[in-house]
Amino acid sequence: MKRFTLQIGIALSGMVLLFSGCNQGGNAANGALSSSAAEKVYVAPGEQDEFYAFLSGGYSGNLTVYGLPSGRMFKEIPVFSQFPTSGYGYSEETKPLLITSHGFIPWDDLHHPDISQTNGELDGRWIFVNGNNTPRIARVSLSTFETEEIIEIPNSAGNHSSSFITENTEYVVAGTRFSVPVPQRDMPINEYKGNFKGALTFINVDPEHGHMDIKFQVIMPGFNYDLSHPGRGKSHGWFFFSTYNTEEASTLQEVNASQNDKDFIAAINWKKIEEYVNNGGGTEMPANYAHNVYDESTHMARSTMKKKVLTVDPTKVPGAVFLLPTPKSPHGCDVDPSGQYIIGAGKLSADITVHSFDNMLAAIEAEKYDGYAYGIPILNFEEVLAGVVKSGGLGPLHTEFDGKGNAYTTFFISSEVVKWQLETWQVVDRKPTFYSVGHLMIPGGNSRKPFGKYVVAMNKITKDRYLPTGPEMEHSAQIYDISGEKMELLYDFPTHGEPHYAAGCPADLLRQNSKKIYRLDENNHPYSIKSPVDARVEREGKDVHIYMSTIRSHFTPDNIEGIKVGDRVYFHVTNHEQDFDVPHGFAAIGANTSEILVMPGQTKTIVWEPKQVGVWPFYCTDFCSALHQEMQGYVRVSPTNSSIELSWSVGE
Ligand code: K7E
Ligand code: CUA
């Protein structure tokens, strides 16, 4: 969420009091109404949900997977975090995913998931997410539900207008929220204006493997680039970014970035820029950023540092970049399923501004300019405007679409979802949210083909909605039925971290492709073993490599002697199961990392550095069979100068 002015802050606290005082939520869930709502979210034991929903986890760094309409959480996918549940970010194989130019950065702030598309429709191959703080984009596989790739974004800071994709997943786009010196250098902050720049990064996605590579960065004026969405259909080839702080204030932004009556939506014709760079345009700039790729065949990630990036000066590509004036520090920037309407939600406003793509093209053609900003044409506001939604709410943020001609906009300050019609711009319904809603999500809502049955509102404030859990409450999502004329609130469910945006899709798009096991015969991990008979221990100086097998219900080897204080012991654990949902875990006393959870057919490595002489146990952490408690072993650790030979038992 963004800042809001002092006055609105006060109004907000008033409203929260109002809501908690009158307990509207309780009333809404009473009586006959609540029983029909209950039926609509009830998924009977053994039955499955109709939709997947992927909620961003904000400051948890993770992505959570839910079912709709039940609101049941299925999985938390670690992305920008260390996650002891699976060992992600702790295991030797996954640590390289979290490498950046700033070193190992095991945390980030994840805001906007977007599912890959083909011809503007969800194709269910990958989901892209952004890390805000140390700018990164990650790609998560929707077959393994694991993070497969993370690329760092140079010349960026506060990677917020990200990670949205174009309609054939040609690009995933990352825009900087904070402008910075480009290239970074030591300079006075009060010389921001005119000197800081905002990079909009277009990252090429390999159509077959999904691998990401920065194609170019458009180096824009030093505004704050807040959100973005791709054109689609007729506007495919364009990308739209909302901006604030077009004042280029460098201090007291709460006031100084709210001076201009209108900021801009920047319209970028990426096809034109792509053509320009394909013909040799742009300037190669030295850079330093990490590109981390996980290989499913070796079960291992590798990190490489990239040393240059191609930058584009927007004034060098005539006809490629325009600014659309948009009132009051727009936050959300959303494009309807037809690609015709670009919605700017001025977060300090009551109205929603809708621009027309056709009008924009006509205004460009007729050069209806209201001046220039750093050489970039500013289009005349009235010329590009399609309509204004007189919402009656306060603080519009984000808009989604149902594919039936309706748009749904969240209002943070007045805590509601407002349903309005495209083209008539009339409000047709509004429902309160509890409380202070940020994003909302309709499955497929950011595509040509939304599935307009439910909308999920993700709320910033929980207060009295659940049993209290001390000062810290989980955030709260709410699901509404939007199949009828009026929205109907069905259910509340708690979320992890702070969800911002979410992405959803029909369950059938993913269910069939969801991987059940990793095949052992395809395991190319250099320390994997194909069978327990290959289990062994090898010493290389102070490094000891244990090639370990797990199968219900034993480790091979289970007892190891000849380890010394000062050794680095690598447990390379291969899970020899080939059944769905039979992981084994591994934990060793005094390990400085976490446990690891190893999926069938997979190999994972944990490093253990024994500090004390003794006989130390390890065990399986996942209750894998009736004899799970027997799944254990010992390591004998001798003094550094001991002459005890390496030996191990293979459980004969
Ligand atoms: Cu509005 Cu980061 Cu998309 Cu939060 S953002 S709500
Ligand atoms: Cu293997 Cu418990």
Side-chain angles (χ1 to χ4, degrees), residues 1-2 111-112 160 227 331 397-398 438-439 460 500-501:
M1 255 311 303
K2 297 293 112 59
H111 282 226
H112 303 123
H160 193 260
L227 273 149
H331 181 58
L397 291 186
H398 299 287
H439 274 273
K460 302 301 182 187
H500 293 263
Y501 196 31

Side-chain angles (χ1 to χ4, degrees), residues 583-585 620-625 628 631:
H584 292 289
C620 172
T621 50
D622 188 291
F623 207 110
C624 50
S625 76
H628 153 81
M631 200 165 168

